[in-house]
Amino acid sequence: MPFAETIELPTGLADTPAVKVLQRALTNGRLAHAILIHGDDFSALEQVAHALAQALLHTRKPAAQHPDFHTLRPAKKMRQIRIGENGEEENTMRYLLRVLNQTASAGDRKVALIYEADRMNTAAANAFLKTLEEPPVGTTLLLLTTRPYDLLATIRSRCFRFRIPGTAEIAPDPAWDAWVDDYSAWLKSLRSRPVDKKAIADRVLAVYGLVTRFNALLEFQYKAIWAVEKTRVTAELDDEEWDALQVGVRKGLRASRFVAIEHATREYAIDEARSGAPLPANPLSMAVTELEKVTGLLDVNLKEEAALEHFLLASLRIWTPRG
């Protein structure tokens, strides 16, 4: 049966191709039972998932207040989604699957939202895969991740996938724009061979200046965004869920900043080509590979400043002419 509800989102998100396709499928009653929502901005992913759940559950209240809306989040120090010892332990895969196999409380539909789905451990992923193959009647499974390729390929292949762009809700920040400009200027400085030891030392010292400023900017903006985000929470969350939510907010901000660094690096390489120099494709490829490597390590608790320091020192080697 088609749904009459609309996925209610801010204009910047509602107008995206992915949301338009979801709305069309919802209206026509052809929405898949498992949907993988991914992108760089975790806050945007969460907004889309909650709005979609609200429409599916035919409620004007926040989805989190509906008895047939269920969530699963990473937990404990390892920040994993665990299978759980039995179906009684909340915030585990077994608990979620047990609830989903029960009759809906207030209608004929249930919605499960899995935060940071890439954090499922092996046992949880295998149990979830069985549910994807034989989903409970009237259940929609929503998976959120900024790292879709860390999910099992067999899980990805059984989900309809939608990439959601960022909402650009982070207020313009002249200090961050200045940081990006200084990073780009630092890259340009590397293309000339240093003439003495002082020039080499200056370039290395600039790395630590960029790292210190980056960390201060990240911390300042995280606190500002979290102050707003925590006021939007309407559900009762335990300490672990609050911790997971905070980590998700910081992760989304951090991801957007490292994406901006990648864009600035690519722009620098393109500008080099526009100036008549050959496009430095090989250094660009090496730099992007290094950036992907360190951002991957962030998910196993490498600190942001250590990741950026490693990347910038690698960039120093990559972009400085040899000989």
Side-chain angles (χ1 to χ4, degrees):
M1 173 182 173
F3 289 86
E5 277 76 0
T6 299
I7 303 173
E8 296 181 359
L9 287 162
T11 302
L13 278 175
D15 292 342
T16 60
V19 172
K20 288 181 178 178
V21 172
L22 283 168
Q23 180 64 68
R24 204 156 48 239
L26 179 68
T27 302
N28 295 332
R30 295 179 178 176
L31 197 68
H33 72 273
I35 299 169
L36 175 60
I37 302 173
H38 65 98
D40 298 319
D41 184 341
F42 201 86
S43 176
L45 308 186
E46 187 176 29
Q47 285 186 65
V48 171
H50 275 257
L52 180 56
Q54 190 176 16
L56 283 165
L57 294 169
H58 301 279
T59 179
R60 294 300 175 189
K61 293 182 179 180
Q65 295 180 7
H66 196 283
D68 294 316
F69 178 76
H70 309 284
T71 61
L72 181 56
R73 303 171 183 267
K76 302 196 180 289
K77 288 184 179 180
M78 293 296 291
R79 294 202 60 254
Q80 288 188 338
I81 293 175
R82 301 172 299 118
I83 190 166
E85 293 299 322
N86 53 57
E88 301 302 319
E89 184 183 1
E90 294 187 7
N91 199 40
T92 62
M93 184 60 74
R94 281 192 173 129
Y95 180 87
L96 177 67
L97 299 183
R98 180 177 68 80
V99 170
L100 293 181
N101 278 290
Q102 296 173 352
T103 304
S105 300
D108 58 357
R109 179 163 294 276
K110 303 179 291 293
V111 176
L113 175 55
I114 301 179
Y115 287 83
E116 297 183 76
D118 55 281
R119 304 296 296 176
M120 292 185 208
N121 65 22
T122 302
N126 288 334
F128 183 67
L129 183 58
K130 293 179 181 177
T131 296
L132 279 179
E133 292 168 347
E134 298 180 18
V137 176
T139 297
T140 302
L141 305 166
L142 306 177
L143 289 72
L144 304 188
T145 180
T146 57
R147 301 180 64 83
Y149 292 101
D150 282 354
L151 278 164
L152 288 178
T154 44
I155 289 180
R156 291 200 311 272
S157 66
R158 287 169 170 78
C159 299
F160 272 63
R161 285 169 279 175
F162 295 90
R163 190 182 191 286
I164 305 297
T167 58
E169 285 188 337
I170 299 171
D173 185 354
W176 171 249
D177 293 340
W179 189 97
V180 173
D181 288 344
D182 289 346
Y183 166 68
S184 299
W186 178 76
L187 282 180
K188 289 183 176 68
S189 76
L190 301 183
R191 294 305 288 166
S192 59
R193 192 175 293 110
V195 294
D196 53 34
K197 290 183 179 179
K198 182 180 182 303
I200 297 173
D202 287 345
R203 292 179 181 183
V204 174
L205 286 173
V207 166
Y208 293 98
L210 287 169
V211 169
T212 300
R213 287 169 57 202
F214 176 90
N215 196 48
L217 287 168
L218 188 73
E219 194 64 31
F220 177 81
Q221 279 210 318
Y222 160 69
K223 288 179 179 177
I225 294 169
W226 175 242
V228 174
E229 287 296 323
K230 67 183 180 182
T231 65
R232 297 177 178 175
V233 178
T234 56
E236 291 291 331
L237 303 181
D238 61 26
D239 289 344
E240 282 189 1
E241 289 174 323
W242 274 111
D243 288 344
L245 186 59
Q246 282 186 271
V247 168
V249 169
R250 188 178 184 96
K251 186 176 179 180
L253 173 62
R254 183 180 71 195
S256 73
R257 290 322 189 197
F258 276 92
V259 166
I261 292 172
E262 181 180 344
H263 288 170
T265 306
R266 292 183 187 277
E267 283 298 316
Y268 160 68
I270 292 169
D271 286 344
E272 283 286 295
R274 286 174 181 157
S275 68
L279 178 67
N282 190 49
L284 176 59
S285 175
M286 292 170 65
V288 171
T289 298
E290 283 294 331
L291 190 58
E292 289 175 347
K293 184 191 302 180
V294 297
T295 52
L297 290 173
L298 288 171
D299 285 336
V300 289
N301 296 326
L302 180 69
K303 291 187 177 299
E304 291 97 351
E305 57 265 37
L308 183 61
E309 178 186 335
H310 179 93
F311 169 68
L312 292 176
L313 291 175
S315 296
L316 188 62
R317 295 190 299 271
I318 290 167
W319 292 105
T320 301
R322 292 176 174 79

